[in-house]
Amino acid sequence: MTEQSLPRPAIAVVGYGSQGRAHALNLRDSGFDVTIGLRPGGPTEVKAKADGFTVKAPAEAVKEADLVAVLTPDMVQKQLYADVLAPNLKQGAVLLFAHGLNVHFDMIQPRDDLDVVLVAPKGPGALVRREYEIGRGVPCIYAVHQDRSGRAEQYALAYAAGLGGARANVIKTTFKEETETDLFGEQAVLCGGASSLVQAGFETLVEAGYQPEIAYYEVLHELKLIVDLFYEGGITRMLEFVSETAQYGDFVSGPRVIDASVKARMKDVLKDIQDGTFTRNWQAEYDAGLPNYRKFQQADKDHPIEQVGRQLREKMVWLQGQTETQPAARKEAA
């Protein structure tokens, strides 16, 4: 099916954070009719109006939409669906998510008449927008949970194309696969794993008597150089661009740090994700007002590596002016 033959539904984007703004702008520039659904007086209403969008309360925005994209934080989606979306979505509409958590774990049970799909760009909102503007695109994955019209997959592909994903790569998945792999990646490698590895490396060097500033450069600052090489060409490219000494250290010491016991614990993390333990715990934490979340967050912010890092980054003139893009990595923002 060509991009020209795909459907072009009227779209309501609910939420205007990092992903919401990028989706809305790209879709509009691709020729879709886009309305933004936001709380009146909310912090992003002014931004959406400044970008030239018609902004309505979510209940009003979704009433006439053929497709409703839910781009709010995970933990507000259950109530949003029950209070606003379910009573107001028109018959036979398409309900689209960028992350499958609420549907996969049955916190949202969509109306039977709806098409329910997922489209997830594999990059932060700022990158989704930037790549589109220069004529490229960020790869997207998509899934169909419920196909009542017989055209749910076509709607998902149309949306992905509108984001620019068809310019790069579009891969079919399932709500289960997207949700579980996304949560695992964040927890075991990208956020939890990487942060803990960096903190442990910093602590090891400082406790051995090395300067905190030197430790910061070695275990955190230079990590970007390695990750960029991973991103550009995988582990092979990284090995091509580091010294033979670094390669040998990789071969003999990497498996000593990340050994079979680490992989076993990763499997435990995955099991908690798969059986819903993580999601139940996260929902309970959210419902309780986030006491542990805030404690853990503050502990990370107070770690000595952050204190050293703030001082060192003040002298990195090339970083000045980039702070406004830092939150863009968040996939969900109201």
Side-chain angles (χ1 to χ4, degrees):
M1 180 176 294
T2 65
E3 188 171 332
Q4 289 74 18
S5 65
L6 293 169
R8 304 189 76 77
I11 297 173
V13 172
V14 182
Y16 204 70
S18 170
Q19 287 288 340
R21 183 172 187 266
H23 286 220
L25 290 170
N26 289 10
L27 291 164
R28 183 177 66 183
D29 289 352
S30 294
F32 288 88
D33 176 13
V34 180
T35 299
I36 309 300
L38 295 171
R39 296 191 317 273
T44 51
E45 181 183 24
V46 173
K47 182 182 290 187
K49 287 182 175 179
D51 286 335
F53 287 105
T54 298
V55 180
K56 299 180 180 180
E60 292 301 313
V62 305
K63 283 181 178 178
E64 300 303 319
D66 302 311
L67 185 152
V68 174
V70 182
L71 299 175
T72 57
D74 285 331
M75 305 318 290
V76 306
Q77 289 182 13
K78 178 181 178 180
Q79 186 172 358
L80 174 70
Y81 178 78
D83 295 349
V84 177
L85 302 184
N88 292 292
L89 279 160
K90 70 180 183 180
Q91 193 78 11
V94 182
L95 184 61
L96 181 144
F97 296 88
H99 181 40
L101 185 145
N102 277 273
V103 172
H104 176 54
F105 289 112
D106 294 323
M107 292 187 290
I108 291 177
Q109 298 181 5
R111 275 179 9 206
D112 189 60
D113 63 283
L114 303 172
D115 285 348
V116 182
V117 302
L118 177 149
V119 176
K122 301 314 292 177
L127 182 66
V128 172
R129 181 58 180 162
R130 185 165 65 248
E131 287 295 293
Y132 182 95
E133 289 181 303
I134 61 178
R136 299 190 301 234
V138 170
C140 291
I141 61 176
Y142 77 97
V144 175
H145 175 75
Q146 195 164 278
D147 183 7
R148 295 295 178 258
S149 70
R151 304 185 72 199
E153 184 169 11
Q154 296 176 37
Y155 282 115
L157 289 170
Y159 190 96
L163 296 183
R167 301 172 181 174
N169 193 17
V170 180
I171 300 175
K172 189 172 184 178
T173 183
T174 63
F175 272 64
K176 171 182 169 63
E177 183 175 60
E178 185 277 334
T179 300
E180 294 176 358
T181 57
D182 184 83
L183 292 175
F184 177 81
E186 291 171 349
Q187 295 174 34
V189 180
L190 305 177
C191 302
S195 297
S196 295
L197 187 66
V198 165
Q199 289 173 341
F202 178 85
E203 292 166 4
T204 299
L205 287 175
V206 172
E207 289 166 8
Y210 300 103
Q211 295 180 69
E213 294 81 2
I214 302 299
Y216 176 89
Y217 281 128
E218 293 301 333
V219 304
L220 190 153
H221 178 81
E222 292 192 22
L223 183 62
K224 182 186 185 305
L225 309 178
I226 300 302
V227 170
D228 284 349
L229 293 171
F230 282 157
Y231 183 79
E232 293 165 7
I235 294 173
T236 298
R237 183 167 177 82
M238 182 274 288
L239 293 173
E240 291 172 354
F241 280 81
V242 300
S243 69
E244 288 84 354
T245 303
Q247 289 183 50
Y248 183 68
D250 173 333
F251 304 148
V252 301
S253 297
R256 294 173 63 192
V257 177
I258 309 299
D259 61 9
S261 67
V262 173
K263 187 173 178 181
R265 290 190 292 275
M266 284 184 169
K267 290 183 177 181
D268 289 339
V269 169
L270 181 57
K271 180 178 179 296
D272 282 350
I273 291 168
Q274 292 171 326
D275 66 18
T277 298
F278 168 79
T279 298
R280 287 191 297 273
N281 290 345
W282 175 215
Q283 182 70 60
E285 174 70 16
Y286 183 85
D287 292 343
L290 303 173
N292 294 303
Y293 171 95
R294 298 188 195 286
K295 180 179 67 176
F296 297 146
Q297 184 183 65
Q298 193 60 47
D300 274 353
K301 290 181 178 180
D302 292 342
H303 192 280
I305 197 172
E306 288 302 285
Q307 299 170 25
V308 173
R310 279 191 291 272
Q311 297 169 7
L312 293 176
R313 289 191 295 273
E314 288 177 358
K315 301 176 182 178
M316 299 178 191
V317 294
W318 62 91
L319 294 179
Q320 306 309 313
Q322 293 187 15
T323 53
E324 69 272 15
T325 65
Q326 288 173 0
R330 291 187 61 190
K331 290 180 294 185
E332 307 145 358

